[in-house]
Amino acid sequence: MPLLARTVTTPLAIEIRRGAVAELGRLLADRRISAGGVVAVVVGPGQGARITELIRPTLGSADVFTVAGGTLDAAVELGAKLRERGYDAVVGIGGGKTIDTAKYAATRYGLPMVSVATSLAHDGIASPISSLAHEGGRGSYGVHIPIAVIVDLDFVADGPEHLTRAGIGDAISNLNAIADWELAHHVRGEPIDGLAVTFARTGAEAVLNHPGTIADDGLRTALAEAHVLGGVAMAVCGSSRPASGGCHEISHALDHLYPDAAAHGEQVGMGALFCAYLRGDPRLDQIAACLRRHGLPRTPADLGLSEDQFTEAALRAPTTRPDRYTILEHLALTPDEMAARVKEFAATFQDSGSAHG
Ligand SMILES: [Zn+2]
């Protein structure tokens, strides 16, 4: 009997709506994740108090841990605390740092992890990867995909707009990651996973073509779904390939050279536009229009960088992921060629208004 299908591991529950944090206890019980509420709730320092107050009525017996910093050390320390009581699950509530810390600690001690996102700044909310600071750099660590993904749109709506905007950049950068993957497949015979491509591209296309603004729950929902699909795409193929190409290599290089220049999603969105430009991508104008519509950076100047600074990052980018073949490795531009392309690129997109203007 031939194998007619494959089984993929996905979260058991996805809930994207307002008021999700306040009903967390019921949700965990309904989904048989925890009937008695013996869970470890992990919050960040910023919103920890508001979240703790909201969950108390339905999750009275939960232990609440506050973690800060999004570091590997904080995740290991949290893991040690999780061993002290027989928890049903670890619930990480917050933004990327808190969720990545909780994901890592839960995986280390074999506990299911519930991801409760209060921001949509990047695609880590449902991914099998934790990005954590360690010894002066950032590491990406493979972890188990969350057992449930909950997005509370009340928190997203109340939170800083630039976080939601950045999330749009991360979501649409998947189009570039997929184009890089297809290139590696054609040029070097790298295996490509059509199911992972389908998930990642569907989410990115929905965001790219959504007519709403970040003030609409419709767009916020499409963005949250794109992040969920991106996370499942990574879990399906066991790699960040469907969500990370030359766009992310450029962002990693920017992180090394000019820490805190801009948010991850702002950097990868602009990196995706630059890679699409180098590639002569037929979607270039659509990507540029989407970034412009949502006030995202499109040129080095929009990121607060000179053309020379951005050129240096683009040249360094391939060294950040030596095993990943993208348009940057494919073209292998010399420093002079790269500087010329960056100059043309900046001139092409600088006239139609600054992202922050
Ligand atoms: Zn990303």
Side-chain angles (χ1 to χ4, degrees):
M1 184 74 178
L3 189 65
L4 297 175
R6 66 168 147 169
T7 303
V8 297
T9 303
T10 71
L12 201 57
I14 306 284
E15 291 215 16
I16 300 164
R17 60 185 174 81
R18 288 176 176 268
V21 167
E23 291 179 43
L24 199 54
R26 178 201 56 73
L27 195 145
L28 296 180
D30 284 357
R31 297 293 180 160
R32 312 274 193 277
I33 292 168
S34 172
V38 186
V39 294
V41 172
V42 182
V43 296
Q47 297 170 319
R50 176 182 171 194
I51 290 167
T52 304
E53 199 180 309
L54 275 174
I55 61 170
R56 276 298 166 216
T58 63
L59 269 182
S61 52
D63 289 338
V64 178
F65 300 96
T66 303
V67 296
T71 64
L72 183 59
D73 288 344
V76 170
E77 202 180 303
L78 172 64
K81 290 178 189 157
L82 297 178
R83 300 174 68 186
E84 289 168 9
R85 197 173 164 195
Y87 294 111
D88 296 333
V90 180
V91 183
I93 310 178
K97 284 180 181 173
T98 304
I99 286 176
D100 280 3
T101 305
K103 271 198 289 195
Y104 184 91
T107 297
R108 203 172 151 104
Y109 291 97
L111 289 167
M113 190 272 178
V114 176
S115 171
V116 184
T118 57
S119 119
L120 297 173
H122 62 74
D123 64 15
I125 61 174
S127 76
I129 293 167
S130 280
S131 171
L132 296 167
H134 187 52
E135 294 185 345
R138 290 201 80 73
S140 293
Y141 303 91
V143 295
H144 207 279
I145 193 168
I147 192 171
V149 179
I150 293 152
V151 177
D152 191 323
L153 294 178
D154 280 331
F155 281 84
V156 176
D158 294 349
E161 288 188 354
H162 76 267
L163 293 180
T164 309
R165 262 201 289 274
I168 292 171
D170 203 21
I172 67 169
S173 79
N174 289 1
L175 294 172
N176 177 70
I178 293 164
D180 280 335
W181 199 3
E182 288 170 339
L183 177 74
H185 178 62
H186 292 309
V187 175
R188 306 177 95 204
E190 183 180 320
I192 193 164
D193 187 321
L195 184 63
V197 167
T198 299
F199 283 138
R201 184 149 49 204
T202 299
E205 292 281 6
V207 172
L208 187 77
N209 294 306
H210 200 288
T213 74
I214 58 163
D216 301 335
D217 274 3
L219 177 69
R220 294 180 186 127
T221 301
L223 179 57
E225 288 171 349
H227 287 338
V228 170
L229 287 169
V232 173
M234 291 185 248
V236 159
C237 66
S239 152
S240 62
R241 214 11 160 155
S244 169
C247 45
H248 278 63
E249 291 185 334
I250 289 172
S251 179
H252 295 323
L254 289 171
D255 288 341
H256 288 300
L257 290 167
Y258 321 109
D260 306 319
H264 170 81
E266 294 176 314
Q267 294 182 172
V268 299
M270 191 242 150
L273 183 67
F274 181 65
C275 290
Y277 181 77
L278 292 181
R279 186 185 294 112
D281 197 307
R283 312 297 301 275
L284 179 70
D285 290 344
Q286 266 182 295
I287 294 169
C290 178
L291 294 177
R292 179 169 164 68
R293 190 163 68 248
H294 296 296
L296 282 158
R298 301 188 303 161
T299 64
D302 291 344
L303 289 176
L305 299 172
S306 69
E307 289 173 16
D308 285 349
Q309 286 177 313
F310 185 78
T311 299
E312 192 181 347
L315 288 167
R316 184 189 281 220
T319 65
T320 65
R321 282 304 296 261
D323 54 332
R324 187 149 294 179
Y325 191 80
T326 76
I327 188 67
L328 299 171
E329 286 82 353
H330 183 66
L331 296 176
L333 299 177
T334 64
D336 285 349
E337 290 168 340
M338 185 68 85
R341 299 305 305 271
V342 169
K343 198 174 168 60
E344 292 162 10
F345 169 76
T348 303
F349 293 106
Q350 75 186 2
D351 293 333
S352 29
S354 155
H356 302 297

